[in-house]
């Protein structure tokens, strides 16, 4: 019984830490703005390449939250069972894949912007 109590207490502590990290993820997303633009909270960025506005690119934003679009659910049952931990792990893996994919999309837009501004400056 003592071993079970230790495991339950440890897992409960870990589940609390997990949920706290989800809150930190959401706070980081909220803090990821620059000049009023937050590509992680639904604010698109339009970059205009000429003074007439006929040449531009719009970087489409996403609307992320840990529990929302990223799909990282709060811990369940204080992580008492391995299944609870496995579910959380699978959710994290899917979120990481989604973030990696979105990072590649943002990087592609960044490359276009850098190339276009380099041409304009030259």
């Amino acid at each position: 019984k003592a071993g079970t109590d230790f495991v339950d207490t440890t897992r409960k502590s870990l589940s609390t830490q997990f949920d706290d990290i989800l809150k930190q993820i959401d706070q980081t997303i909220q803090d990821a703005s620059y000049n009023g633009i937050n590509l992680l909270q639904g604010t698109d960025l339009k970059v205009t390449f000429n003074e007439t506005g006929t040449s531009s690119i719009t970087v489409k934003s996403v609307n992320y939250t840990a529990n929302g679009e990223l799909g990282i659910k709060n811990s369940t049952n204080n992580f008492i069972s391995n299944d609870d931990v496995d579910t959380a792990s699978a959710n994290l893996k899917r979120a990481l894949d989604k973030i990696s994919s979105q990072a590649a999309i943002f990087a592609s837009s960044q490359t276009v912007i850098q190339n276009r501004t380099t041409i304009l400056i030259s």
Side-chain angles (χ1 to χ4, degrees):
K1 180 87 177 158
T4 303
D5 290 340
F6 173 75
V7 169
D8 292 349
T9 302
T10 301
R11 286 185 179 226
K12 182 176 182 176
S13 174
L14 291 172
S15 74
T16 299
Q17 291 175 40
F18 181 86
D19 293 342
D20 288 345
I21 290 171
L22 295 185
K23 291 175 190 170
Q24 291 176 27
I25 290 170
D26 285 339
Q27 187 61 53
T28 300
I29 290 168
Q30 290 174 12
D31 293 344
S33 64
Y34 181 75
N35 285 339
I37 303 293
N38 189 330
L39 292 172
L40 301 178
Q41 284 197 309
T43 310
D44 294 345
L45 171 65
K46 182 176 181 179
V47 178
T48 304
F49 298 117
N50 63 9
E51 57 277 343
T52 61
T54 57
S55 179
S56 66
I57 183 174
T58 299
V59 181
K60 293 291 185 185
S61 63
V62 293
N63 201 355
Y64 283 167
T65 61
N67 281 293
E69 184 65 27
L70 292 177
I72 311 169
K73 304 300 180 196
N74 285 22
S75 62
T76 55
N77 304 317
N78 294 320
F79 285 164
I80 289 177
S81 79
N82 289 341
D83 288 342
D84 298 330
V85 175
D86 290 344
T87 298
S89 179
N91 289 342
L92 287 170
K93 171 73 169 99
R94 279 191 298 279
L96 181 59
D97 291 345
K98 184 173 281 197
I99 291 168
S100 295
S101 175
Q102 188 59 50
I105 293 168
F106 285 156
S108 176
S109 294
Q110 178 189 13
T111 299
V112 170
I113 292 167
Q114 284 177 328
N115 289 340
R116 292 294 304 273
T117 54
T118 301
I119 291 170
L120 293 172
I121 293 171
S122 299

